[in-house]
């Protein structure tokens, strides 16, 4: 664990202010939920991810979607690529998404992008697929992540599968 050298005092209500620079780098915004963990005498704050919370069930859905369509299928939260099924798995799983891609998710609209319209998913994304299908996952009014499909086939034909998978995932997020 890396130390920042920043020291903060706990106020009378038990609050600690997270410095602005750390909030910016970790993409922490007002209203974000934080998970508090205690282990070996250490207190750890971690940005809570609904997507990580439903990883097991979501993993089955992502794998089935991959098997059925042969496309690269990814599940992302608002920070990272959480799950990936396909040939890119080892290369992209766990990578931080770009701000541009996060903005697309926060826009709450389904997108089918082709060719030069593609949005880089992570820093250095070679954009080697013809179609990119992006469907934000909105649970209880908040965008919690998204389902992404990359394919060289007709993306329009596959977009219905992405929408169906998201409809299955949303109720799981709200449990």
């Amino acid at each position: 664990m890396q130390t920042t050298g920043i020291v903060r005092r706990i106020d009378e209500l038990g609050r600690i202010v997270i410095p602005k620079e750390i909030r910016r780098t970790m993409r922490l915004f007002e209203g974000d939920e934080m998970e508090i963990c205690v282990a070996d005498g250490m207190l750890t704050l971690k940005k809570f991810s609904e997507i990580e919370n439903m990883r097991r069930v979501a993993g089955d859905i992502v794998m089935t979607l991959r098997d059925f369509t042969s496309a690269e299928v990814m599940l992302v939260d608002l920070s990272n690529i959480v799950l990936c099924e396909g040939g890119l798995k080892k290369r992209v799983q766990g990578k931080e998404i770009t701000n541009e891609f996060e903005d697309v998710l926060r826009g709450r609209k389904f997108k089918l992008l082709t060719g030069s319209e593609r949005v880089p998913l992570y820093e250095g994304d070679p954009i080697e697929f013809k179609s990119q299908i992006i469907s934000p996952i909105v649970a209880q009014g908040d965008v919690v992540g998204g389902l992404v499909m990359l394919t060289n086939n007709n993306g329009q034909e596959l977009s219905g599968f992405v929408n169906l998978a998201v409809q299955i995932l949303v109720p799981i997020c709200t449990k």
Side-chain angles (χ1 to χ4, degrees):
M1 184 180 295
Q2 183 181 355
T3 181
T4 63
I6 300 171
V7 177
R8 290 287 190 248
R9 188 174 308 274
I10 299 174
D11 73 8
E12 65 278 357
L13 296 176
R15 298 177 295 199
I16 299 173
V17 174
I18 301 170
K20 184 177 186 176
E21 180 61 24
I22 292 174
R23 291 193 316 263
R24 188 181 60 75
T25 340
M26 296 196 63
R27 296 181 180 176
L28 298 174
F29 301 99
E30 183 180 329
D32 282 353
E33 293 179 322
M34 300 297 293
E35 187 173 352
I36 302 169
C37 305
V38 179
D40 300 326
M42 292 183 70
L43 180 70
T44 307
L45 290 176
K46 179 181 171 189
K47 187 174 180 178
F48 180 74
S49 166
E50 286 287 349
I51 301 296
E52 275 291 340
N53 202 31
M54 61 181 209
R55 186 183 188 105
R56 188 179 58 73
V57 175
D60 291 341
I61 293 169
V62 168
M63 189 179 306
T64 302
L65 198 53
R66 160 67 182 181
D67 291 345
F68 194 72
T69 64
S70 298
E72 300 290 320
V73 183
M74 293 167 230
L75 187 66
V76 301
D77 61 18
L78 293 175
S79 300
N80 302 300
I81 301 170
V82 176
L83 291 169
C84 177
E85 284 299 331
L88 297 176
K89 184 175 186 170
K90 289 182 181 173
R91 195 166 85 196
V92 304
Q93 193 160 297
K95 286 206 180 223
E96 187 175 310
I97 64 171
T98 63
N99 290 335
E100 187 180 356
F101 193 82
E102 181 185 355
D103 291 344
V104 169
L105 292 175
R106 288 190 186 276
R108 299 171 176 251
K109 289 194 169 91
F110 174 88
K111 298 255 186 209
L112 170 59
L113 305 171
T114 56
S116 62
E117 293 180 310
R118 281 239 5 243
V119 176
L121 189 56
Y122 56 92
E123 203 62 48
D125 182 352
I127 305 182
E128 55 197 22
F129 292 89
K130 290 180 184 170
S131 296
Q132 181 182 43
I133 304 165
I134 306 168
S135 185
I137 300 172
V138 180
Q140 297 178 341
D142 295 322
V143 176
V144 296
L147 192 60
V148 182
M149 186 182 288
L150 303 175
T151 181
N152 284 320
N153 297 329
N154 182 348
Q156 189 66 44
E157 292 174 1
L158 300 178
S159 59
F161 297 116
V162 174
N163 280 330
L164 177 60
V166 167
Q167 289 175 13
I168 294 168
L169 289 169
V170 168
I172 297 168
C173 286
T174 58
K175 287 184 178 178

